[in-house]
Amino acid sequence: GWFPSSSPSPIPTLLPGAPTVVVPSPAAPASVPGIGFDISYPQCRAEPPQHAAFAIIGVNGGAPLTSNRCFARQVAWARTLPAYAVYVNTSNTGAQDPVAYGTHLAEDAIERERTSGVRGVGMWWLDVEVTNTWNGTVQENATVLASMIVRLQQAGVRVGIYSSPAQWTEIAGDWAPGLPVWNAIGSGTRADARAACTESFAGSTTAIVQWVAKQGDLDYDHNEICPAWSDRAGDVLAVR
C-alpha cells in the first residue's frame, strides 16, 4: 500500500546536553530616555561621549579571552550615568566541546571583570557577530551561546544578545532563547535605527537599537531603547 511520506524531524536548535536558558521575570518598570553609547578598547585614548543617557562597556579586547585594558576606567564613567551594562565577545573555535567552551568563555569574562576591580554589574550582553570566529554548525554555535548565558545567569546577572537578524541566523540558526536583543544596523541615522525597532530575532523583539554616527570628529556607537521597551529599561540595563 501507499503511505504518505513523513516529513523529516526538525533538527534540534541545541545539542543534547546543552543547558537550559531561563527567561527571567521582568524587572521593576524603569525608563531611560535619550541616546546611550557603547565603548571599549578602541576608545581607551578618547574622552567618553558627551551627554550620554547610558553606556555599555566592553569587557574584552575585541575577542574572547582578551581584556579591554581600560575597562575599569570606562565602567567608572558609566556608573555616573543613569544606567549602564557590559558586553562580552563570543565565538566558537570548533576545537572544544561546545558546552565546556561556552562555560569557559563566560567564566573567563567574569574573572577579567573581577581582576579589573569591577564588581556588581547586573546586566551583561553577548556580542554575537560574524567578525569573530565561528567554526561550528549553528547547533554547536548556539550551544556555546546557551552555555555562556546559563553560566552568567548562575552568577546572578541578566543577559541579553547583541547581534542583527542576519548575523544571528548565520551563527545560531533558528535558536530563540527569548532574551532581550540589541540590534546593530551599522552606519546610519537615528531614524534608520528606530525603524529597526520593528525587527525581531533570537525569539525577542528589538529592545535596543545601535547605529554608528559621528560625535565631533569621531565615530561612536549610538544606542537607544526602542519604544516598546521604553518602560523596561531594567530588563536591558542596570538602572541606578
Side-chain angles (χ1 to χ4, degrees):
W2 177 85
F3 296 95
S5 60
S6 59
S7 58
S9 299
I11 298 172
T13 52
L14 297 174
L15 293 174
T20 301
V21 171
V22 175
V23 177
S25 300
S31 178
V32 182
I35 295 175
F37 298 87
D38 60 279
I39 61 173
S40 187
Y41 72 98
Q43 289 79 37
C44 279
R45 295 185 178 181
E47 289 296 315
Q50 296 181 348
H51 313 299
F54 61 89
I56 306 177
I57 309 300
V59 174
N60 300 119
L65 311 178
T66 66
S67 291
N68 169 11
R69 58 187 171 81
C70 54
F71 175 69
R73 175 164 52 86
Q74 290 176 341
V75 168
W77 164 73
R79 283 177 163 166
T80 69
L81 306 176
Y84 77 107
V86 299
Y87 73 90
V88 295
N89 292 109
T90 65
S91 72
N92 180 17
T93 62
Q96 297 182 43
D97 170 76
V99 173
Y101 184 65
T103 302
H104 172 58
L105 292 189
E107 290 179 344
D108 178 84
I110 292 167
E111 181 62 26
R112 289 175 196 277
E113 176 214 26
R114 293 176 179 170
T115 299
S116 76
V118 174
R119 293 283 195 284
V121 180
M123 181 73 204
W124 290 56
W125 292 88
L126 300 191
D127 184 327
V128 184
E129 297 184 76
V130 295
T131 50
N132 268 316
T133 301
W134 298 100
N135 289 336
T137 65
V138 292
Q139 229 186 340
E140 292 165 345
N141 296 341
T143 298
V144 169
L145 297 172
S147 303
M148 291 187 73
I149 292 166
V150 169
R151 181 63 187 88
L152 289 169
Q153 290 180 331
Q154 289 170 349
V157 304
R158 290 180 178 270
V159 182
I161 293 164
Y162 168 92
S163 194
S164 65
Q167 291 186 97
W168 179 259
T169 301
E170 181 175 339
I171 293 167
D174 296 329
W175 185 46
L179 299 175
V181 297
W182 173 15
N183 190 353
I185 72 161
S187 297
T189 65
R190 190 178 191 178
D192 295 333
R194 284 182 167 178
C197 282
T198 61
E199 297 178 348
S200 299
F201 62 94
S204 176
T205 58
T206 296
I208 300 177
V209 280
Q210 180 202 70
W211 70 103
V212 181
K214 286 194 179 298
Q215 186 178 92
D217 295 331
L218 300 175
D219 284 333
Y220 278 101
D221 293 342
H222 294 58
N223 301 278
E224 188 170 30
I225 296 175
C226 288
W229 289 73
S230 61
D231 63 348
R232 298 183 60 187
D235 291 321
V236 299
L237 299 166
V239 180
R240 295 177 62 223

